[in-house]
Amino acid sequence: MATIGMDKLFYAEITEDADGNETYGEPIQMAKAISGDLTVELVEANLFADDGLAIVIKDFKSGTLVIGTDDLKKSVVMALTGATLDENGVLIATSEDIGKPVAIGFRAQKPGGLYRYFWFYRVQFGFPGTKLQTKGDSITFQTPSITGTVLRRNKVDGQGKHPWKAEVTEGDEVPATVFEKWYEEVYEPEFTKKENRVGEPETNGSGKSVDEEANNG
């Protein structure tokens, strides 16, 4: 997919219930975006039968998301990496810091002026990298980048699956409200109720069977 721009970079903090299911906070602007680079790692398995390749499985394992920005405020670094401020307001990063996972959203412009929108549902970041360079005959901007591991989320969707990314492009046949609310809240997948096979327990969006929910209640 060809794109010519990137902007509206947001993050949303995550809280988890006792089962690890995510609830997303209100999206917060992270910084002005310069670049985004996603690589995906797959778990692959091949089954050979009758002297040939019969089945190929390629499942999502994780991804690496490298984001370049104009700057990262202290509050953003603290939220993403677990760094803290000391009593003098100095940002302190320690080897013991563990950042909480967040959701990451942004959009990329395509030729023709339309935009492609993204939400990554669970990203774990490390401390941002820094480039420094002395001034010479010309000025060269040095900007920070931050690298995160993209994971599938714990909370299942209406199909009983674990999404890791949502993506939609202007011009797709989707309700206008999808774009209007993209940055008001992290997009939640919508599916009609999944029909179960005979003998399988009926499930809801929590991934638990209806009988389990009734017994727990």
Side-chain angles (χ1 to χ4, degrees):
M1 61 178 184
T3 57
I4 58 174
M6 175 183 175
D7 66 355
K8 287 189 173 291
L9 175 61
F10 281 69
Y11 73 95
E13 296 185 350
I14 292 174
T15 56
E16 301 179 14
D17 64 16
D19 295 322
N21 295 317
E22 296 90 350
T23 298
Y24 298 99
E26 182 178 349
I28 302 169
Q29 185 165 14
M30 179 173 164
K32 291 184 178 180
I34 293 178
S35 62
D37 183 15
L38 172 69
T39 57
V40 175
E41 184 177 357
L42 303 176
V43 176
E44 302 186 21
N46 298 324
L47 175 66
F48 289 84
D50 286 344
D51 296 329
L53 183 59
I55 300 175
V56 178
I57 296 177
K58 296 179 181 288
D59 286 344
F60 173 80
K61 179 180 179 182
S62 65
T64 300
L65 181 63
V66 182
I67 298 175
T69 67
D70 67 327
D71 196 10
L72 288 172
K73 297 180 179 179
K74 290 180 181 179
S75 59
V76 174
V77 175
M78 292 167 62
L80 299 185
T81 70
T84 57
L85 297 180
D86 71 1
E87 295 178 356
N88 296 314
V90 177
L91 183 66
I92 304 297
T94 73
S95 60
E96 291 81 11
D97 291 341
I98 299 177
K100 294 182 178 180
V102 296
I104 294 292
F106 55 84
R107 68 178 188 175
Q109 186 178 10
K110 300 182 62 182
L114 298 179
Y115 284 90
R116 178 164 290 160
Y117 292 75
F118 299 86
W119 272 112
F120 294 90
Y121 285 112
R122 190 179 180 95
V123 185
Q124 185 93 36
F125 284 100
F127 203 79
T130 302
K131 295 180 181 179
L132 302 174
Q133 179 177 317
T134 189
K135 289 192 295 183
D137 293 334
S138 60
I139 296 175
T140 302
F141 286 103
Q142 304 297 326
T143 56
S145 63
I146 189 166
T147 301
T149 299
V150 180
L151 306 167
R152 73 175 198 174
R153 78 178 191 184
N154 298 320
K155 182 181 179 181
V156 298
D157 60 21
Q159 301 183 108
K161 299 180 179 180
H162 301 267
W164 63 274
K165 180 182 71 166
E167 178 180 330
V168 66
T169 302
E170 290 177 342
D172 292 348
E173 294 184 3
V174 298
T177 53
V178 169
F179 300 103
E180 293 169 358
K181 296 182 178 181
W182 197 257
Y183 293 106
E184 293 180 8
E185 58 186 14
V186 176
Y187 179 77
E188 183 64 29
E190 295 183 8
F191 294 99
T192 56
K193 192 173 183 180
K194 183 179 178 181
E195 294 185 4
N196 297 293
R197 298 175 183 175
V198 176
E200 289 184 348
E202 184 180 356
T203 61
N204 54 29
S206 68
K208 296 182 179 180
S209 70
V210 173
D211 291 339
E212 286 179 317
E213 291 286 356
N215 292 335
N216 291 336

